[in-house]
């Protein structure tokens, strides 16, 4: 199945057309106006530029802020409320500035970008995470240069290509992780960038956050589907490798990347072995591996992050780990229910849905457009 973004449509009044099971962003209630999102986005963008300045002027403080606050917070934000980040991300702000002020050329992205941009983003991510060990964790100017390069790439993508096709929905190295973690948002924040939607991306997470990732897993294009499953399969291995593989100079940089690649392959091998043996619904293992990766990440980072700010008591560390585990358990249960409904609806069945605690179940067909 493919969910293709399409032009904007007005939300129908609730008394005439009840919301579908998986509403797109034009059908979701807005608690924050587009104008307020723009002001918030400007503030976050200014903070991002300020962080780059601090990395250049006071590298130690900048590194503490980036790796002590931003990096530990973002995975959980992507897991709980991915739409909030996608509305506020400085890279997205840079990418959408040409469109907002009317100087984008709005060209259709080349076919290779649409089809292979995801792999480019994955490649950049796999290069960048081990680079923390030999460069970025201790070098403020290098990290500032990387952040400036990403902002420039996002901006140029917005100048040339329409919508988010030049960066956010294709080439961004954060996109694969965001899509993996955003399978079952606990808090849904409608997209505030794309007014109107220009249909620039396939299975767009901004257009329909409820089912974009599931649509990837059940996509008719087997290559499209397998690439996204491959990232989900290898991601826990990437997380483990970052914390287990020794830092240079204990190992050379080439050996570091070789060991990271081995961990990714072992993780992917376990995924596809389980896939062959268990024959679970297609969305099940990617969800399980997303939960595994998130818990592994916070298991290792909780003590170090809390210690950076003077709160690394054993009780605080275990409370943080337990909180993440509880959140992921709730998330996973909700995902399993959603996948069952998604599969039934896309197969043409009608599934009863209880709404508002009413005793009577009503029947609806899913609307994915």
């Amino acid at each position: 199945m493919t969910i293709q973004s399409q032009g904007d449509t007005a939300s129908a009044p609730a008394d005439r057309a009840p919301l579908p099971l998986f509403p797109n962003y034009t059908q979701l209630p807005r608690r924050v106006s587009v104008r307020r999102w723009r002001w918030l986005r400007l503030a976050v963008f200014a903070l991002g530029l300020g962080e780059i300045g601090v990395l250049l002027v006071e590298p130690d403080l900048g590194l503490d802020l980036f790796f002590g606050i931003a990096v530990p917070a973002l995975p959980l934000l992507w897991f709980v409320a991915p739409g909030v980040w996608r509305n506020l991300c400085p890279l997205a702000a840079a990418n959408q500035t040409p469109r907002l002020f009317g100087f984008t050329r709005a060209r259709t992205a080349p076919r290779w970008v649409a089809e292979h941009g995801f792999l480019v983003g994955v490649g950049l991510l796999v290069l960048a995470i081990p680079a923390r060990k030999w460069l970025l964790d201790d070098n403020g100017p290098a990290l500032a240069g990387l952040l400036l390069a990403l902002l420039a790439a996002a901006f140029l993508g917005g100048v040339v290509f329409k919508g988010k096709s030049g960066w956010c929905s294709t080439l961004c190295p954060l996109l694969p992780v965001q899509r993996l973690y955003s399978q079952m948002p606990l808090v849904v924040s409608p997209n505030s960038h794309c007014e109107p939607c220009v249909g620039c991306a396939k299975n767009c997470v901004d257009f329909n956050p409820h089912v974009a990732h599931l649509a990837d897993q059940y996509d008719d294009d087997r290559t499209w589907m397998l690439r996204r499953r491959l990232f989900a399969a290898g991601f826990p291995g990437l997380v483990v490798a970052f914390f287990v593989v020794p830092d240079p100079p204990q190992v050379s940089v080439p050996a570091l990347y070789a060991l990271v690649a081995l961990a990714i392959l072992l993780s992917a091998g376990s995924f596809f072995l389980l896939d062959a043996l268990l024959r679970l619904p297609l969305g099940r293992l990617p969800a399980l591996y997303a939960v595994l990766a998130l818990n592994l990440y916070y298991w290792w980072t909780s003590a170090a992050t809390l210690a950076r700010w003077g709160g690394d008591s054993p009780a605080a560390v275990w409370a943080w780990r337990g909180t993440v585990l509880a959140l992921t358990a709730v998330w996973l249960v909700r995902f399993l229910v959603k996948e069952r409904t998604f599969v039934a609806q896309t197969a043409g069945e009608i599934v009863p849905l209880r709404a508002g605690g009413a005793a009577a179940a009503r029947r609806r067909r899913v609307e994915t457009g």
Side-chain angles (χ1 to χ4, degrees):
M1 177 186 174
T2 298
I3 296 177
Q4 182 73 34
S5 301
Q6 62 185 33
D8 202 353
T9 56
S11 300
D15 57 342
R16 289 189 294 173
L19 283 179
L21 289 176
F22 304 120
N24 64 55
Y25 83 98
T26 68
Q27 300 164 323
L28 290 167
R30 291 189 182 274
R31 297 177 178 85
V32 180
S33 68
V34 171
R35 183 177 180 179
R36 288 180 179 175
W37 276 122
R38 288 175 179 170
W39 282 109
L40 291 169
R41 192 175 301 137
L42 179 61
V44 174
F45 188 80
L47 286 174
L49 292 180
E51 166 64 10
I52 291 172
V54 173
L55 285 167
L56 294 172
V57 177
E58 294 287 344
D60 290 341
L61 176 59
L63 291 169
D64 275 342
L65 292 173
F66 190 80
F67 292 118
I69 296 179
V71 171
L74 285 179
L76 196 60
L77 178 60
W78 296 339
F79 191 80
V80 174
V84 171
W85 173 252
R86 292 191 67 80
N87 281 331
L88 297 179
C89 173
L91 296 175
N95 180 251
Q96 292 300 289
T97 293
R99 179 183 185 180
L100 182 63
F101 290 99
F103 59 90
T104 178
R105 297 184 181 180
R107 294 178 179 175
T108 299
R111 184 175 179 180
W112 76 265
V113 172
E115 293 186 357
H116 308 301
F118 181 84
L119 291 181
V120 174
V122 170
L124 292 173
L125 181 71
V126 172
L127 289 173
I129 289 179
R132 286 187 55 184
K133 288 176 165 290
W134 59 270
L135 178 63
L136 300 176
D137 276 2
D138 302 312
N139 192 322
L143 179 58
L146 174 62
L147 296 177
L148 284 171
L150 292 174
L151 286 170
F155 178 77
L156 289 174
V159 169
V160 178
F161 300 116
K162 69 179 181 179
K164 291 187 172 184
S165 63
W167 184 257
C168 301
S169 295
T170 51
L171 302 170
C172 178
L174 302 181
L175 176 67
V177 185
Q178 290 180 49
R179 291 189 72 96
L180 186 62
Y181 284 165
S182 65
Q183 297 177 50
M184 183 65 249
L186 300 177
V187 177
V188 179
S189 297
N191 165 37
S192 67
H193 278 289
C194 305
E195 300 287 346
C197 171
V198 293
C200 70
K202 176 180 176 179
N203 296 342
C204 177
V205 69
D206 294 306
F207 182 74
N208 198 318
H210 291 281
V211 291
H213 179 84
L214 272 174
D216 281 344
Q217 302 304 310
Y218 287 88
D219 198 280
D220 296 332
D221 184 338
R222 185 168 176 80
T223 300
W224 179 279
M225 177 263 288
L226 284 176
R227 286 176 175 177
R228 283 144 184 84
R229 290 176 71 77
L230 181 60
F231 174 75
F235 191 55
L238 178 60
V239 173
V240 171
F242 177 77
F243 293 104
V244 171
V245 175
D247 296 358
Q250 291 178 272
V251 296
S252 66
V253 172
L256 166 65
Y257 280 99
L259 290 170
V260 168
L262 177 61
I264 293 172
L265 288 175
L266 289 173
S267 178
S270 70
F271 178 100
F272 288 107
L273 177 63
L274 290 173
D275 195 33
L277 293 176
L278 301 180
R279 300 182 65 184
L280 297 172
L282 289 174
R284 193 73 51 86
L285 277 178
L288 289 170
Y289 272 57
V291 164
L292 175 62
L294 194 73
N295 277 279
L296 287 170
Y297 175 76
Y298 283 112
W299 181 272
W300 264 297
T301 60
S302 55
T305 301
L306 293 172
R308 193 183 289 254
W309 305 108
D312 59 333
S313 69
V317 171
W318 282 103
W320 181 239
R321 291 171 175 170
T323 299
V324 174
L325 181 62
L327 278 173
T328 55
V330 171
W331 182 95
L332 188 58
V333 170
R334 295 179 71 228
F335 174 83
L336 297 179
V337 174
K338 182 179 76 169
E339 184 182 25
R340 182 187 67 83
T341 305
F342 176 85
V343 170
Q345 292 290 344
T346 54
E349 299 178 17
I350 301 176
V351 176
L353 175 72
R354 291 189 180 274
R362 55 178 154 164
R363 299 173 181 268
R364 302 176 185 163
R365 287 190 177 275
V366 68
E367 297 175 24
T368 56

